[in-house]
């Protein structure tokens, strides 16, 4: 018996010593620095944003379909009823939540690149505005960060102005994802939705439209600044119909976030992309960025490249309910001249050379 008790006492002493040794080793190990913690938080904030935009809608739709064949089918039925009841809300200003714009994760998202907003002129709250956002890039990071989140100080720079960002109308048909989009201030890029914000929502509204759209994303690559704008005149007509001032903005660095395989015009792959874009509204780009584990690995996360969004001088537009084609063309030219001026005055400040030019197709 004594022998057994002695053996147990020896084992307990050994276990206690092992625990103490492990604790000393743990305490002696180097803890992550504040810089490393910030880097991880920034990476995770970008990861959640990319996954939300690429997967949230599809995964939610598949989950609700799956629940139909289980005992939880009432969840799908109730949500379907809610979507039918709430069908027109995206077209009527959405359902923005100010707390989402102030979500702390957006500060880490901003600092990952980092993203910066530059103001060149005041915007009066007594007017409404259409902000042309250029270029599209792959995922419109600059437009999202500046016009949807409050992390870059849009509200402080432009007091009294409520920013909205337009995106594909089909996104608002996807369950859960539509709620996520509306809560941030996104709305469909349709005449009805934009018209509501410019005519029935008071003044001080700034509707940001990525004018180049999906077609422009097909030409997105580092070192190339090409915009699809020459025949995009619908936003000018809407500005005239509602008396909304036109404001150019340009995000320097947007095209540097990903590497894309660009297929030449006339190739069979480019034809497939263009046909898909016309049918679905978005272009299936073949691109890659950095991986989750290291900068050198390949993945779907954007590279950490600085983005500076410069908001230019408003082009004053009169209210004309039925503008002629000549009037639309005139203000379209005025907008392009204002955009070119903005680009040329700021390109050397934010990473481009004096010889770089803005190509408008």
């Amino acid at each position: 018996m004594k022998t057994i008790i002695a053996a147990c006492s020896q084992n307990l002493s050994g276990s206690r010593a092992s625990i103490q040794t492990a604790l000393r080793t743990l305490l002696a190990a180097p803890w992550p620095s504040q810089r490393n913690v910030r880097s991880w938080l920034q990476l995770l904030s970008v990861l959640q944003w990319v996954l939300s935009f690429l997967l949230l809608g599809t995964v939610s739709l598949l989950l609700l379909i799956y629940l139909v064949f289980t005992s939880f089918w009432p969840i799908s039925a109730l949500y379907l009823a809610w979507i039918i009841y709430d069908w027109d809300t995206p077209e009527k200003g959405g359902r923005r939540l100010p707390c989402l714009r102030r979500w702390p994760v957006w500060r880490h998202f901003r600092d990952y690149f980092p993203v910066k907003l530059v103001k060149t002129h005041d915007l009066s709250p007594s007017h409404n505005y259409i902000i042309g956002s250029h270029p599209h890039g792959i995922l419109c990071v600059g437009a999202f960060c500046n016009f949807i989140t409050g992390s870059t100080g849009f509200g402080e720079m432009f007091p009294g102005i409520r920013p909205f960002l337009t995106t594909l109308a089909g996104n608002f048909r996807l369950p859960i994802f539509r709620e996520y989009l509306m809560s941030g201030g996104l709305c469909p890029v349709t005449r009805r939705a934009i018209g509501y914000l410019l005519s029935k929502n008071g003044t001080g509204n700034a509707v940001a439209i990525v004018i180049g759209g999906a077609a422009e994303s097909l030409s997105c690559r580092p070192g190339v600044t090409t915009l699809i704008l020459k025949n995009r005149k619908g936003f000018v007509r809407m500005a005239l119909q509602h008396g909304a001032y036109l404001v150019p903005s340009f995000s320097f660095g947007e095209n540097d976030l990903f590497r894309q395989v660009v297929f030449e015009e006339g190739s069979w792959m480019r034809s497939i992309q263009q046909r898909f874009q016309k049918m679905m509204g978005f272009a299936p780009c073949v691109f890659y960025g950095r991986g989750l584990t290291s900068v050198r690995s390949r993945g779907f996360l954007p590279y950490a490249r600085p983005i500076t969004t410069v908001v230019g001088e408003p082009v004053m537009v009169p209210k004309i309910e039925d503008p002629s084609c000549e009037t639309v063309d005139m203000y379209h030219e005025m907008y392009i001249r204002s955009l070119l001026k903005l680009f040329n005055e700021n390109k050397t400040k934010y990473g481009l050379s004096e010889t770089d030019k803005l190509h408008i197709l």
Side-chain angles (χ1 to χ4, degrees), residues 311-332:
V311 180
E313 181 179 5
V315 176
M316 292 185 288
V317 175
K319 185 175 181 179
I320 305 174
E321 291 187 5
D322 188 20
S324 65
C325 293
E326 292 76 14
T327 303
V328 172
D329 290 343
M330 181 180 72
Y331 281 95
H332 186 262

Side-chain angles (χ1 to χ4, degrees), residues 23-275:
L23 287 174
R24 282 195 296 269
T25 303
L26 181 63
L27 293 174
W31 287 83
S33 65
Q34 290 186 353
R35 182 178 179 181
N36 288 336
V37 172
R38 282 197 300 269
S39 297
W40 295 340
L41 289 174
Q42 291 168 10
L43 192 63
L44 290 174
S45 68
V46 174
L47 176 64
Q48 66 82 25
W49 178 78
V50 171
L51 291 179
S52 295
F53 269 82
L54 295 182
L55 298 177
L56 180 59
T58 303
V59 171
S60 300
L61 178 61
L62 293 176
L63 177 61
L64 289 176
I65 293 174
Y66 168 75
L67 291 179
V68 169
F69 301 98
T70 69
S71 57
F72 296 101
W73 65 266
I75 295 176
S76 299
L78 287 172
Y79 191 79
L80 177 60
W82 164 251
I83 287 184
I84 295 173
Y85 172 79
D86 198 53
W87 189 262
D88 289 335
T89 299
E91 304 277 352
K92 297 180 178 180
R95 194 169 35 248
R96 63 191 297 156
L97 298 176
C99 61
L100 185 66
R101 287 176 58 85
R102 299 191 297 268
W103 199 18
V105 72
W106 300 130
R107 294 197 297 271
H108 299 298
F109 180 87
R110 171 200 66 195
D111 294 338
Y112 171 84
F113 297 96
V115 181
K116 180 182 178 183
L117 180 65
V118 176
K119 168 186 172 181
T120 61
H121 292 78
D122 292 329
L123 299 182
S124 171
S126 61
H127 298 286
N128 286 325
Y129 303 89
I130 289 180
I131 300 178
S133 179
H134 311 274
H136 184 284
I138 296 293
L139 294 178
C140 303
V141 173
F144 177 87
C145 190
N146 287 297
F147 302 130
I148 293 303
T149 80
S151 61
T152 57
F154 185 96
E156 291 74 25
M157 290 186 190
F158 303 101
I161 303 296
R162 294 181 297 275
F164 296 86
L165 179 64
T166 58
T167 185
L168 292 174
N171 289 330
F172 295 89
R173 305 303 177 227
L174 294 173
I176 310 300
F177 190 45
R178 69 190 297 272
E179 323 297 340
Y180 177 77
L181 294 177
M182 284 193 291
S183 64
L186 283 100
C187 64
V189 61
T190 62
R191 290 184 178 275
R192 183 185 176 192
I194 297 171
Y196 180 91
L197 293 173
L198 296 178
S199 63
K200 299 180 181 179
N201 199 41
T203 60
N205 300 296
V207 183
I209 304 176
V210 187
I211 298 168
E216 192 172 277
S217 66
L218 293 176
S219 301
C220 165
R221 52 183 169 180
V224 177
T225 313
T226 301
L227 304 183
I228 306 297
L229 178 59
K230 189 172 293 185
N231 295 318
R232 301 289 174 98
K233 301 178 182 180
F235 73 103
V236 177
R237 182 174 294 277
M238 289 208 68
L240 285 164
Q241 290 171 341
H242 299 283
Y245 290 4
L246 291 168
V247 183
S249 72
F250 195 92
S251 294
F252 294 91
E254 182 73 45
N255 285 349
D256 299 331
L257 304 182
F258 294 95
R259 302 292 182 268
Q260 181 179 191
V261 180
V262 178
F263 300 101
E264 297 297 328
E265 288 289 346
S267 65
W268 65 275
M269 278 298 296
R270 187 59 169 245
S271 299
I272 291 175
Q273 288 177 314
Q274 292 172 340
R275 289 177 184 175

